Amino acid sequence: MTKLTVGNKHQEMKDNVLKGGHEKYHGKNKEQGKLFVRERLELLFDEGLQAEDGTFANVLAGDLPSDGVVTGIGKIHGRTVCVMANDSTVKAGSWGKLTVEKIIRIQETAEKLNVPLLYLVDSSGARITDQLEMFPGRRGAGRIFYNQVKLSGRIPQICLLFGPSAAGGAYIPAFCDVVVMVEGNASMYLGSPRMAEMVIGEKVDLETMGGAIMHCSVSGCGDVLAKTEEEAIAYARQYISYFPDNFKNKPNVEEPKLPKTFEKSIEEIIPANQNAPFNMYDLIDRIIDEGSFCEVKKLFAPEIITGFGRINGQSVGIIANQPRVKGGVLFHDSADKAAKFINLCDAFHIPLIFLADVPGFMIGTNVEKMGIIRHGAKMIYAMSEATVPKITVIVRKAYGAGLYAMAGPAFEPDVCIALTGAQIAVMGPEAAINAVYANKIASLPKEVQAAFINQKREEYQEEIDVYRLASELIIDDVIEPNELRKTLEIRLDAYKSKELTFTERKHGVSPV
């Protein structure tokens, strides 16, 4: 009888814990289109959460089941991963002493197991009433961020942001490799709109200050904008498939697929006119395994494309200029976007493919004030340091420092390939002729100016002809556009055994 009573008590307490907070908070979440934390975990994992830690944390408090956070271990695509997930039905997912301790412990578990860690964030931040216990100490909230930095580049860290990530808690997404934000519900901010009005006199709504659309398109703090929680979770499951469990391993090779078939070939979609826009996504789709593209930061700095794909089943990172947006010119934001992506791929042994169609970096007063030189240096720094296989493809043009940023010949790509008709130069023909001959052109009679300009343009074109570049070993190969997929297959297979130490030092001093 005693055992039965004990068993009943245990089951009752467990049932109470698993239900989360009060029913009214569940109802509020449903109104907002938000899933209960345990429903999210069911969708995330192959077979649900397999092992949970700290289930009964703060159970005796009565109104703090699991102290507002679920931590444990599950499997995605058959691979072990760790997770921490806020329960927004428990005091809005706020952090107390045991919340913080549970998060720190799952980070330590992920470090010991050398497996990816996912953060499912939906939290209003610290409980002010518990600040002495959870905020300043050696195992206080700051330790979470310290651990994230320690784990960075060691294991993949993924943040799914379903609700707020407030104040200091906003640094959880900031230190993750990728941040997926759910439109309409996700937000992150250091100070709430109410605090901003009180402290600095600014009146602003939450969406404008820290909403998902703003962060994914303007600040760049968000990487992926999802319309629903289900979409966010599906993205995380896809994203993790491109990565190894940790830095010691290489990504798994999946079943190879051919690229999707299209009516027009690569040669037919690339305009001969260097300045005519075309959609770089059309080229990407023709060189990667069908359905394998997984883009990062699509809405932020869209003049450059960053994303994962597969070629013959092998994970690759793609960095490509987008001529349809601002002509593919590099800005400070696009340089930052590329630098982060390069670092991410290099940390986890994912080869890099640069598809260069770049007029250079933007010039002018505005971008200089934005610090475009140091931002551009950040991209070049990250690209230089990367020791994974690097394949550079000059699609049509690579002018000025744009050539450098897109892994030009001086930066030790494993190969620099040019498509027929491609150009490498300090600047394009029109700009070069104007720079050198502006005074001469102005002094000529109007009726002969056009003929003079055409003559100089032809001379310049001969100077930067792709076969002259190949003759001088500036580029390693010139190929027909339709040969690109096969060429990449051969090169990637050959470079699998690449081993390189960039240099010996404690660490560099990166431009920021």
Side-chain angles (χ1 to χ4, degrees), residues 449-499:
Q449 284 181 358
F452 178 82
I453 291 170
N454 286 335
Q455 176 195 340
K456 294 303 176 184
R457 183 181 289 126
E458 288 174 9
E459 292 173 3
Y460 191 81
Q461 293 281 13
E462 289 177 12
E463 181 75 16
I464 63 174
D465 179 76
V466 67
Y467 295 102
R468 177 164 186 181
L469 296 171
S471 176
E472 297 292 335
L473 286 182
I474 293 169
I475 56 176
D476 300 302
D477 199 5
V478 182
I479 66 169
E480 295 287 348
N482 293 339
E483 297 174 5
L484 182 55
R485 160 72 183 212
K486 187 62 180 176
T487 300
L488 293 174
E489 288 179 8
I490 293 168
R491 294 285 180 176
L492 286 166
D493 185 64
Y495 300 150
K496 281 180 181 177
S497 60
K498 178 181 179 181
E499 290 186 10

Side-chain angles (χ1 to χ4, degrees), residues 25-41:
Y25 300 119
H26 287 272
K28 183 179 178 183
N29 278 354
K30 285 180 181 177
E31 289 173 10
Q32 296 175 328
K34 294 170 69 171
L35 298 172
F36 178 44
V37 61
R38 295 184 182 275
E39 293 174 322
R40 293 168 180 165
L41 295 174

Side-chain angles (χ1 to χ4, degrees), residues 226-470:
K227 292 201 172 293
T228 64
E229 296 196 1
E230 291 86 351
E231 185 180 313
I233 291 167
Y235 180 90
R237 286 179 58 86
Q238 180 192 10
Y239 172 93
I240 204 169
S241 70
Y242 296 88
F243 286 80
D245 290 338
N246 56 66
F247 78 104
K248 295 179 181 179
N249 301 323
K250 292 186 177 181
N252 292 334
V253 177
E254 303 289 331
E255 187 69 29
K257 293 182 181 178
L258 293 172
K260 185 178 179 181
T261 55
F262 296 90
E263 287 185 13
K264 291 187 177 180
S265 67
I266 293 177
E267 187 173 10
E268 290 173 310
I269 64 167
I270 300 177
N273 179 355
Q274 301 285 358
N275 298 320
F278 86 100
N279 191 351
M280 187 60 77
Y281 289 107
D282 291 339
L283 175 56
I284 293 170
D285 285 340
R286 285 164 171 79
I287 63 172
I288 62 171
D289 295 4
E290 183 174 358
S292 70
F293 195 51
C294 179
E295 192 166 3
V296 178
K297 286 191 185 299
K298 182 177 184 176
L299 301 179
F300 180 73
E303 63 273 11
I304 196 162
I305 298 168
T306 54
F308 302 100
R310 291 191 177 90
I311 294 180
N312 252 4
Q314 181 178 353
S315 291
V316 295
I318 296 170
I319 298 158
N321 307 113
Q322 172 57 299
R324 287 185 71 173
V325 180
K326 301 176 184 177
V329 174
L330 292 168
F331 288 75
H332 52 283
D333 280 345
S334 35
D336 279 0
K337 173 179 174 177
K340 169 78 180 286
F341 186 76
I342 291 167
N343 281 332
L344 176 60
C345 291
D346 190 49
F348 295 106
H349 309 285
I350 299 174
L352 289 163
I353 296 174
F354 294 83
L355 300 175
D357 195 332
V358 58
F361 281 89
M362 190 60 185
I363 61 172
T365 306
N366 287 340
V367 292
E368 294 296 352
K369 287 179 178 178
M370 294 286 189
I372 194 165
I373 295 171
R374 65 182 170 85
H375 288 280
K378 192 188 307 183
M379 178 178 176
I380 293 170
Y381 189 102
M383 177 272 302
S384 300
E385 273 197 326
T387 58
V388 293
K390 293 187 287 191
I391 298 175
T392 304
V393 181
I394 312 299
V395 177
R396 288 191 301 175
K397 60 185 177 295
Y399 296 152
L403 171 67
Y404 297 165
M406 294 298 289
F411 295 87
E412 292 199 10
D414 293 282
V415 66
C416 185
I417 299 165
L419 303 187
T420 52
Q423 297 178 349
I424 293 176
V426 171
M427 60 184 72
E430 291 78 11
I433 291 161
N434 183 64
V436 177
Y437 298 107
N439 292 335
K440 174 72 174 174
I441 293 167
S443 69
L444 293 173
K446 288 193 181 300
E447 59 270 19
V448 300
Q449 284 181 358
F452 178 82
I453 291 170
N454 286 335
Q455 176 195 340
K456 294 303 176 184
R457 183 181 289 126
E458 288 174 9
E459 292 173 3
Y460 191 81
Q461 293 281 13
E462 289 177 12
E463 181 75 16
I464 63 174
D465 179 76
V466 67
Y467 295 102
R468 177 164 186 181
L469 296 171

Side-chain angles (χ1 to χ4, degrees), residues 18-321:
L18 297 181
K19 285 191 297 188
H22 194 278
E23 186 57 40
K24 66 180 179 182
Y25 300 119
H26 287 272
K28 183 179 178 183
N29 278 354
K30 285 180 181 177
E31 289 173 10
Q32 296 175 328
K34 294 170 69 171
L35 298 172
F36 178 44
V37 61
R38 295 184 182 275
E39 293 174 322
R40 293 168 180 165
L41 295 174
E42 285 293 323
L43 289 174
L44 178 66
F45 294 125
D46 299 343
E47 299 175 1
L49 192 63
Q50 293 185 312
E52 185 173 344
D53 299 331
T55 309
F56 295 99
N58 238 343
V59 68
L60 300 181
D63 62 344
L64 289 169
S66 297
D67 210 49
V69 67
V70 179
T71 57
I73 300 168
K75 288 187 182 293
I76 298 178
H77 308 307
R79 295 163 51 191
T80 298
V81 300
C82 291
V83 69
M84 81 112 247
N86 299 122
D87 182 353
S88 61
T89 69
V90 180
K91 294 195 181 295
S94 59
W95 294 4
K97 176 185 176 181
L98 297 183
T99 320
V100 170
E101 180 63 24
K102 285 178 67 173
I103 297 172
I104 291 171
R105 288 190 189 184
I106 199 63
Q107 289 179 314
E108 292 168 344
T109 298
E111 180 180 10
K112 286 182 283 188
L113 301 182
N114 263 330
V115 297
L117 177 57
L118 289 92
Y119 301 83
L120 277 56
V121 178
D122 191 352
S123 170
S124 60
R127 295 176 204 151
I128 301 300
T129 54
D130 294 9
Q131 63 175 308
L132 183 61
E133 293 83 6
M134 56 74 61
F135 173 67
R138 286 182 174 267
R139 287 185 74 85
R143 188 74 177 188
I144 296 170
F145 313 130
Y146 174 86
N147 286 341
Q148 282 189 274
V149 176
K150 190 178 176 184
L151 294 172
S152 178
R154 181 183 177 99
I155 59 171
Q157 295 185 89
I158 300 164
C159 177
L160 301 183
L161 195 46
F162 297 113
S165 185
Y171 285 103
I172 280 189
F175 288 121
C176 282
D177 304 335
V178 68
V179 180
V180 185
M181 301 184 73
V182 177
E183 186 176 350
N185 286 331
S187 62
M188 50 179 152
Y189 48 87
L190 296 182
S192 67
R194 184 170 58 183
M195 185 180 294
E197 183 175 0
M198 183 175 65
V199 176
I200 61 174
E202 180 186 21
K203 289 188 176 181
V204 63
D205 62 80
L206 179 59
E207 188 62 37
T208 303
M209 170 176 277
I213 293 174
M214 189 283 287
H215 277 308
C216 288
S217 61
V218 180
S219 77
C221 291
D223 297 300
V224 179
L225 183 68
K227 292 201 172 293
T228 64
E229 296 196 1
E230 291 86 351
E231 185 180 313
I233 291 167
Y235 180 90
R237 286 179 58 86
Q238 180 192 10
Y239 172 93
I240 204 169
S241 70
Y242 296 88
F243 286 80
D245 290 338
N246 56 66
F247 78 104
K248 295 179 181 179
N249 301 323
K250 292 186 177 181
N252 292 334
V253 177
E254 303 289 331
E255 187 69 29
K257 293 182 181 178
L258 293 172
K260 185 178 179 181
T261 55
F262 296 90
E263 287 185 13
K264 291 187 177 180
S265 67
I266 293 177
E267 187 173 10
E268 290 173 310
I269 64 167
I270 300 177
N273 179 355
Q274 301 285 358
N275 298 320
F278 86 100
N279 191 351
M280 187 60 77
Y281 289 107
D282 291 339
L283 175 56
I284 293 170
D285 285 340
R286 285 164 171 79
I287 63 172
I288 62 171
D289 295 4
E290 183 174 358
S292 70
F293 195 51
C294 179
E295 192 166 3
V296 178
K297 286 191 185 299
K298 182 177 184 176
L299 301 179
F300 180 73
E303 63 273 11
I304 196 162
I305 298 168
T306 54
F308 302 100
R310 291 191 177 90
I311 294 180
N312 252 4
Q314 181 178 353
S315 291
V316 295
I318 296 170
I319 298 158
N321 307 113

